[in-house]
Amino acid sequence: MSESPVRRAVHAYFMQRAIELAGNGWYTTRPNPRVGCVLVRDETVIGEGWHEKAGEDHAEKAALADVDRRGGNARGATAYVTLEPCSHTGRTAPCVDALIQAGVARVVIGARDPNPLVDGRGIARLEEAGIDVVTDVVADRCEALNNGFNQRMRQQRPWVRVKLAMTLDGRTAAPDGSSQWITGEGARNDVHRLRAESGAVMVGRGTLLSDDPSLNVRLPGEWPQPLRAVLDSQLEITPQARLLALPGETLIYTASGDKARIAQLEQAGAQVVPIGVNGAGLDLSAVLADLAAREINDVLVEAGATLAGALASAGLVDEYVVYIAPKLLGDRGRGLLQLPHIQNIADAKALVIDSIEPCGQDWRITARPVAN
C-alpha cells in the first residue's frame, strides 16, 4: 500500500534525525558504514542510537538499548534506520533479529545496504516476520553518509577524494618549488579532518621526496589515524622518511624488485606491496583494488600534479576538494594537474560543483566529475 504525502513527510522528519545520529560516528565506524536509528511510537521518540565503532553495537541495537534505559519497550513501534538492517552474523549478531525480537511493527529504511551479504536480505527477513517495511526514504541523504563504503561494496574500490591547494591564479608552488604554506591554518586544519575521516592517505613519490610529509592527523584530542599509502615505482623513498617513524601502517606500492631496498624499508616499518605497471606508471586501478581488499572505504590523495593528473586521466577521481588562497604566483608557478592529453577546450574535464565555502582566509570548493 502506498504511503500518503503526509506520512512520507513524517517518515522524512524522523529519518533526518537518524541521519544526524549517524553523523556521530563520522570518524569512528570504519570499515563499517555510518548508521543512525530512531524508534518512534505515536509520533514520539522512545529511543535513539548510532553505530559508534566496528565490533560494537549497530545503530538498531543501540536504539533498542536506549529504549530500555528510558524504561520503555519497542513493541509496536516504528524503527527509522538510515541503512537496511544487517541480516548476517559478523562481529555482532544480525540487527534484523534484534528488531524482530523487540516486536517492532514497522521499519522505515533510508538506503539499501549494498553489501552482498545483506543487499535485500534484511528487508526480506523483516517482511517474512510480518513487519511492515518502507524503503527509500530520503535515500540520497542516507546514501551520502557512506559514499566510500557503498562504492567499495559495489565496485571493489574506495571512494577517491583528491585534495588540492592553489593560489587564485591556479598555481600550487612557486617557480623554485616552494609551496609551504599556500593556504592558511583554517584550510590546513580542515585537511587534518579529511585525513581523520579517510581510511588511507595516498601520496606519490614526488611529493614524498620534496615535502617529506607525515600524513597523520595532528589536531588536539583523540583522532583516528589513516593508513599511509605511498606510490613509488622505483623505490626512491629513503628509510629515513618521516612517515616511517610514526605509529601506524605505511604501505609502499612499487614495481621494483630490489630485494635489498625492500628489506631496508620493511625494517624501517613499511609494508612493501608489489604492483604492476600500466603505461608510464603504476597500475592505479590495481592499487585501489588492493586498498579495497584491505577494507579501505575512502582514500584522500594529497599528491602533486603528476599523480593527481594520472588519477583524473584514468577516471578514478570521485571528488575534488580544492582550497584557493587569495594569492598570486604568476605564470611561472607550477600548475594544479598534469593532463597532457587535453589539447583543446572540447577535451576539458567537466565538473559539478557541490559547494563553495569560506575556510579561514581561504575558500574551499568541493566538486565531482560529471557522470558519463
Short mmCIF file of all heavy atoms in Angstrom, two decimals, residues 4 8 12 17 44 54 62 77 82 101 112 118 204 211 238 253 266 276 293 302 332 334 346 363 367:
data_model
loop_
_atom_site.label_atom_id
_atom_site.label_comp_id
_atom_site.label_asym_id
_atom_site.label_seq_id
_atom_site.Cartn_x
_atom_site.Cartn_y
_atom_site.Cartn_z
N SER A 4 0.82 7.97 2.07
CA SER A 4 0.31 9.30 1.75
C SER A 4 1.43 10.31 1.83
O SER A 4 2.45 10.09 2.50
CB SER A 4 -0.80 9.69 2.72
OG SER A 4 -0.25 9.93 4.01
N ARG A 8 4.67 10.26 4.31
CA ARG A 8 6.05 10.32 3.79
C ARG A 8 6.81 11.48 4.42
O ARG A 8 8.00 11.37 4.73
CB ARG A 8 6.06 10.46 2.26
CG ARG A 8 5.52 9.30 1.49
CD ARG A 8 6.37 8.06 1.59
NE ARG A 8 7.65 8.17 0.91
CZ ARG A 8 8.48 7.15 0.72
NH1 ARG A 8 8.16 5.93 1.17
NH2 ARG A 8 9.64 7.31 0.13
N ALA A 12 10.19 11.29 6.59
CA ALA A 12 11.38 12.08 6.27
C ALA A 12 11.86 12.85 7.50
O ALA A 12 13.08 13.00 7.72
CB ALA A 12 11.08 13.05 5.13
N ARG A 17 16.47 12.88 11.55
CA ARG A 17 17.07 12.74 12.88
C ARG A 17 18.01 11.54 12.91
O ARG A 17 19.10 11.61 13.50
CB ARG A 17 15.97 12.57 13.94
CG ARG A 17 16.49 12.30 15.35
CD ARG A 17 17.45 13.37 15.81
NE ARG A 17 18.01 13.05 17.14
CZ ARG A 17 19.10 13.61 17.64
NH1 ARG A 17 19.77 14.51 16.94
NH2 ARG A 17 19.53 13.28 18.84
N THR A 44 6.24 9.99 18.82
CA THR A 44 7.14 10.39 19.90
C THR A 44 8.36 9.48 19.90
O THR A 44 8.23 8.25 19.82
CB THR A 44 6.43 10.29 21.27
OG1 THR A 44 5.29 11.16 21.27
CG2 THR A 44 7.37 10.69 22.40
N ALA A 54 33.37 -0.22 14.85
CA ALA A 54 33.32 -1.61 14.40
C ALA A 54 33.52 -2.55 15.59
O ALA A 54 34.42 -2.34 16.40
CB ALA A 54 34.37 -1.87 13.34
N ALA A 62 21.72 -0.21 19.53
CA ALA A 62 21.96 0.94 20.41
C ALA A 62 20.65 1.67 20.72
O ALA A 62 20.41 2.10 21.86
CB ALA A 62 22.96 1.89 19.77
N ALA A 77 6.38 -0.36 17.90
CA ALA A 77 6.98 0.92 17.50
C ALA A 77 7.43 0.87 16.04
O ALA A 77 7.45 -0.18 15.40
CB ALA A 77 8.16 1.25 18.40
N THR A 82 18.84 4.48 8.82
CA THR A 82 19.39 5.09 7.61
C THR A 82 19.87 4.05 6.60
O THR A 82 19.95 4.34 5.40
CB THR A 82 20.58 6.01 7.96
OG1 THR A 82 21.57 5.26 8.67
CG2 THR A 82 20.11 7.19 8.80
N GLN A 101 12.78 -9.55 17.46
CA GLN A 101 12.57 -9.96 18.86
C GLN A 101 11.98 -8.83 19.69
O GLN A 101 11.23 -9.08 20.65
CB GLN A 101 13.89 -10.42 19.45
CG GLN A 101 14.39 -11.74 18.87
CD GLN A 101 15.84 -12.03 19.22
OE1 GLN A 101 16.45 -11.34 20.03
NE2 GLN A 101 16.40 -13.06 18.59
N ARG A 112 19.28 1.15 0.84
CA ARG A 112 19.53 -0.29 0.83
C ARG A 112 21.03 -0.54 1.04
O ARG A 112 21.87 0.23 0.56
CB ARG A 112 19.08 -0.85 -0.51
CG ARG A 112 19.04 -2.35 -0.61
CD ARG A 112 18.10 -2.75 -1.72
NE ARG A 112 18.29 -4.14 -2.13
CZ ARG A 112 17.36 -4.83 -2.78
NH1 ARG A 112 16.22 -4.26 -3.10
NH2 ARG A 112 17.58 -6.08 -3.13
N VAL A 118 24.08 -8.63 2.64
CA VAL A 118 22.85 -8.04 3.16
C VAL A 118 21.86 -7.73 2.04
O VAL A 118 20.69 -8.12 2.11
CB VAL A 118 23.16 -6.74 3.95
CG1 VAL A 118 21.87 -6.13 4.50
CG2 VAL A 118 24.15 -7.01 5.07
N GLY A 204 52.30 10.44 -3.77
CA GLY A 204 53.21 9.95 -4.79
C GLY A 204 54.66 10.18 -4.42
O GLY A 204 54.98 10.91 -3.46
N ASP A 211 58.58 17.01 -0.01
CA ASP A 211 58.00 17.57 1.21
C ASP A 211 58.27 16.73 2.46
O ASP A 211 58.11 17.24 3.57
CB ASP A 211 56.48 17.72 1.05
CG ASP A 211 56.10 18.73 -0.02
OD1 ASP A 211 56.98 19.49 -0.45
OD2 ASP A 211 54.93 18.74 -0.43
N THR A 238 63.44 6.99 1.02
CA THR A 238 64.52 6.64 1.93
C THR A 238 63.95 6.01 3.20
O THR A 238 62.87 6.40 3.66
CB THR A 238 65.34 7.89 2.28
OG1 THR A 238 66.22 7.57 3.35
CG2 THR A 238 64.44 9.04 2.73
N TYR A 253 53.64 0.99 -2.49
CA TYR A 253 53.34 0.27 -3.72
C TYR A 253 54.47 0.52 -4.72
O TYR A 253 54.84 1.67 -4.98
CB TYR A 253 52.00 0.72 -4.30
CG TYR A 253 50.82 0.31 -3.45
CD1 TYR A 253 50.29 1.17 -2.50
CD2 TYR A 253 50.23 -0.95 -3.60
CE1 TYR A 253 49.21 0.80 -1.72
CE2 TYR A 253 49.16 -1.33 -2.82
CZ TYR A 253 48.65 -0.45 -1.88
OH TYR A 253 47.57 -0.84 -1.10
N GLU A 266 61.25 -2.37 4.84
CA GLU A 266 60.44 -3.18 5.75
C GLU A 266 61.03 -3.15 7.15
O GLU A 266 60.30 -3.13 8.14
CB GLU A 266 60.32 -4.60 5.22
CG GLU A 266 59.44 -4.69 3.97
CD GLU A 266 59.26 -6.09 3.46
OE1 GLU A 266 60.10 -6.96 3.78
OE2 GLU A 266 58.28 -6.32 2.71
N GLY A 276 51.75 -4.05 -10.48
CA GLY A 276 52.11 -3.96 -11.89
C GLY A 276 52.10 -2.53 -12.39
O GLY A 276 51.68 -1.60 -11.71
N ALA A 293 40.50 -4.28 -0.84
CA ALA A 293 40.62 -5.61 -0.22
C ALA A 293 41.06 -5.50 1.24
O ALA A 293 40.81 -6.41 2.03
CB ALA A 293 41.61 -6.47 -1.01
N GLU A 302 46.79 13.25 -1.41
CA GLU A 302 47.50 14.52 -1.18
C GLU A 302 48.75 14.49 -2.04
O GLU A 302 49.87 14.33 -1.53
CB GLU A 302 47.82 14.69 0.30
CG GLU A 302 46.59 14.76 1.18
CD GLU A 302 46.93 15.24 2.58
OE1 GLU A 302 47.72 16.19 2.72
OE2 GLU A 302 46.41 14.64 3.54
N ARG A 332 54.78 31.54 -14.09
CA ARG A 332 55.92 30.65 -13.92
C ARG A 332 55.73 29.68 -12.76
O ARG A 332 56.53 28.78 -12.54
CB ARG A 332 57.20 31.47 -13.72
CG ARG A 332 57.60 32.29 -14.95
CD ARG A 332 58.86 33.11 -14.69
NE ARG A 332 59.98 32.24 -14.31
CZ ARG A 332 60.82 32.48 -13.30
NH1 ARG A 332 60.65 33.57 -12.56
NH2 ARG A 332 61.81 31.66 -13.03
N ARG A 334 53.87 26.59 -10.61
CA ARG A 334 53.52 25.24 -11.03
C ARG A 334 52.02 25.05 -11.06
O ARG A 334 51.29 25.55 -10.21
CB ARG A 334 54.17 24.23 -10.09
CG ARG A 334 55.69 24.34 -10.10
CD ARG A 334 56.36 23.23 -9.33
NE ARG A 334 57.80 23.38 -9.38
CZ ARG A 334 58.65 22.52 -8.82
NH1 ARG A 334 58.20 21.47 -8.16
NH2 ARG A 334 59.96 22.73 -8.90
N ALA A 346 37.39 21.29 -26.02
CA ALA A 346 36.45 20.16 -26.08
C ALA A 346 36.93 18.99 -25.23
O ALA A 346 36.13 18.13 -24.83
CB ALA A 346 36.26 19.72 -27.52
N TRP A 363 39.26 29.75 0.50
CA TRP A 363 37.97 29.21 0.06
C TRP A 363 38.15 27.73 -0.25
O TRP A 363 39.21 27.31 -0.72
CB TRP A 363 37.46 29.94 -1.18
CG TRP A 363 36.97 31.32 -0.86
CD1 TRP A 363 37.70 32.46 -0.81
CD2 TRP A 363 35.64 31.68 -0.48
NE1 TRP A 363 36.91 33.53 -0.44
CE2 TRP A 363 35.64 33.08 -0.24
CE3 TRP A 363 34.44 30.97 -0.35
CZ2 TRP A 363 34.49 33.76 0.14
CZ3 TRP A 363 33.29 31.65 0.03
CH2 TRP A 363 33.32 33.04 0.27
N ALA A 367 33.95 19.52 -5.57
CA ALA A 367 33.39 19.25 -6.90
C ALA A 367 33.59 17.78 -7.24
O ALA A 367 34.40 17.07 -6.64
CB ALA A 367 34.07 20.13 -7.95
#
